Amino acid sequence: MQTAARDGTATRLAIAATTGNLVCITAAISATFGTFLVPISQEFGWPRAAVSGVLGLIAILSALSYPLIGRAMDRVGARPIILTGNALLALSIALLALTNGNIWLFYFQFGIVGLAGAMCASPMIAKVVSNWFDERRGLMLGVTAGVGNGVGATVVPIVAGVLLPLLGWRGTYVAIGAIVLVVGAPVLWLWLRDSPDVERHRVEKSQTLAKGMTPAEAARTARFWLLLIAVASGAGAMTAVFTHVVPMMMDRGFGLGEATGIVVIFALVTAAWQVVTGGLLDTFRSPILIVPMYVAAMLGLALLEFGHGGMTMTAAGVLLGIGMGAEYAALSYFCSRYFGLRHFGSINGILYAAVILAQGLTPALMDMSYDRTGSYDQAATALIGTLAAGMVLLFFLPSLGRRGSDAEMPGLVAAQ
């Protein structure tokens, strides 16, 4: 009975985590922003670059706040912070309808959105999932983040596109805020829990948590910096490529419909491959597993920028999705395994700060290269080289072995 109760509670937790990712800031803001860019720009007469600049602001605020939010979760638990973040995110999105011609107010409003969204973002939900699952941790991280973000980033933009002609951009933002709250809050309130109700499972977790590294101890290890450079920065760069698929293809003569189709393939494969990679990591528990997926990402980027024909572009979308899905699946998994769970929120927050910074800076660098050369060729070549360097660094990360827990990683206990 106890095992059945624990499994049932864990299943509900996984559903809640997936739902939280489905209505997080990635789906509600990042995936829908292109829908609102033109109408907002036209209404206020602002340059598109000025409107899209709020995404850079969100990236900076997220990078600064992730470590702080993660540390707070380590101290008071993730549940109250995620629930509060969901409510504030919904409210702040709805309040975007009050935007007027003052661009500084516009940036302030999106700053609030960014801070609220950081409280219930995927890295924060990953803390709860990691605390609940051990043997299936990689798979469940992949399912909750991959399926949640993938479905959310596919469905919410469609909803926004349908509502925009009916409600205008203001009314559509109110509707998206309502979706975030109505879909997310009840499930999170009922089923999101920081620790299992079964005593035996709680004891097992407390023993694991007691052996985790502090952020300072983690930062003194080579594996922390290898993980940050090889995986976190790579994931951020791949996300930046995702945002540039449409202009990269259209600059080479492909139509908007064709380019959008490749974006969808890229997104869906990324979501699915997070699940696949998570399951494989549970079995093989080695960073070397990710190496061929980096090769796929490099080949996909080369095909996207230098290839020809619709089938080639489809292959590019699939390969890029494999690479990005693998990087996001690996980051939280290896963070929990290498450094334990006691300060997982803080350490994972720092790693995801690197993701956000790379995600925010790389598009600007790509566009600077385009403005200077008239194409994305040099930017694509530089990114392929960056991914290749990250792939090489994976060989220096230690293997976890086929069995064993976080506490059995070499050097983990010694760091206490």
Side-chain angles (χ1 to χ4, degrees):
M1 290 293 294
Q2 286 187 337
T3 300
R6 183 192 68 188
D7 290 345
T9 307
T11 299
R12 291 190 289 272
L13 179 282
I15 294 172
T18 303
T19 304
N21 281 310
L22 189 148
V23 294
C24 72
I25 192 171
T26 300
I29 294 297
S30 301
T32 64
F33 192 80
T35 304
F36 296 98
L37 176 61
V38 174
I40 292 175
S41 175
Q42 290 178 342
E43 177 169 335
F44 298 121
W46 296 337
R48 293 187 186 184
V51 178
S52 61
V54 297
L55 297 179
L57 174 64
I58 289 175
I60 294 171
L61 291 175
S62 297
L64 293 174
S65 61
Y66 275 178
L68 300 177
I69 295 170
R71 184 178 181 183
M73 286 185 171
D74 289 333
R75 293 186 173 185
V76 304
R79 173 182 162 84
I81 294 176
I82 291 174
L83 286 171
T84 302
N86 173 260
L88 291 177
L89 177 62
L91 178 62
S92 60
I93 291 173
L95 289 177
L96 291 174
L98 301 179
T99 299
N100 56 32
N102 187 334
I103 196 168
W104 297 112
L105 174 62
F106 181 67
Y107 271 71
F108 176 78
Q109 289 175 299
F110 265 94
I112 300 300
V113 170
L115 291 173
M119 296 172 66
C120 54
S122 291
M124 310 311 158
I125 296 173
K127 173 179 173 58
V128 185
V129 176
S130 295
N131 283 341
W132 269 87
F133 297 95
D134 184 14
E135 293 182 0
R136 295 181 295 157
R137 184 180 301 164
L139 176 63
M140 298 314 299
L141 284 169
V143 169
T144 55
V147 174
N149 281 300
V151 172
T154 302
V155 173
V156 179
I158 293 175
V159 173
V162 171
L163 293 179
L164 188 64
L166 301 175
L167 305 178
W169 67 267
R170 298 175 187 274
T172 303
Y173 265 136
V174 172
I176 291 176
I179 290 170
V180 170
L181 188 64
V182 171
V183 174
V187 180
L188 292 171
W189 178 266
L190 290 173
W191 289 347
L192 188 74
R193 293 289 182 271
D194 276 301
S195 59
D197 294 329
V198 179
E199 181 63 26
R200 181 170 67 86
H201 195 65
R202 179 160 53 246
V203 171
E204 290 172 356
K205 285 301 175 188
S206 66
Q207 290 172 347
T208 300
L209 289 172
K211 297 179 180 179
M213 289 185 182
T214 66
E217 290 166 343
R220 289 196 292 269
T221 67
R223 65 180 71 120
F224 173 86
W225 296 102
L226 290 171
L227 194 61
L228 187 146
I229 296 171
V231 183
S233 299
M238 286 298 295
T239 305
V241 172
F242 178 75
T243 66
H244 274 67
V245 169
V246 172
M248 289 173 75
M249 289 185 61
M250 292 186 68
D251 286 345
R252 300 178 56 239
F254 291 92
L256 177 60
E258 293 175 292
T260 303
I262 300 305
V263 171
V264 172
I265 292 172
F266 192 163
L268 292 177
V269 174
T270 295
W273 205 257
Q274 283 186 254
V275 180
V276 172
T277 303
L280 291 172
L281 286 171
D282 285 333
T283 300
F284 298 103
R285 301 169 63 88
S286 172
I288 304 303
L289 174 72
I290 311 299
V291 169
M293 303 175 197
Y294 268 65
V295 174
M298 290 185 285
L299 180 58
L301 183 52
L303 291 177
L304 179 69
E305 182 59 19
F306 304 108
H308 301 280
M311 292 299 296
T312 301
M313 293 300 103
T314 299
V318 171
L319 292 170
L320 287 167
I322 288 173
M324 190 158 79
E327 288 171 337
Y328 276 107
L331 186 57
S332 291
Y333 179 83
F334 283 118
C335 176
S336 70
R337 293 301 186 190
Y338 287 147
F339 311 118
L341 297 174
R342 182 163 61 116
H343 295 281
F344 173 81
S346 301
I347 299 170
N348 202 44
I350 294 170
L351 293 173
Y352 265 90
V355 173
I356 293 297
L357 283 175
Q359 181 178 322
L361 293 175
T362 304
L365 295 174
M366 292 178 69
D367 289 331
M368 287 172 61
S369 175
Y370 178 87
D371 290 339
R372 186 172 60 85
T373 65
S375 76
Y376 288 106
D377 290 358
Q378 289 188 1
T381 302
L383 285 172
I384 291 171
T386 301
L387 289 170
M391 181 184 68
V392 171
L393 292 178
L394 292 174
F395 288 96
F396 294 93
L397 283 168
S399 175
L400 290 155
R402 293 297 296 271
R403 298 184 64 84
S405 66
D406 314 83
E408 292 170 347
M409 271 302 302
L412 194 57
V413 177
Q416 299 305 304

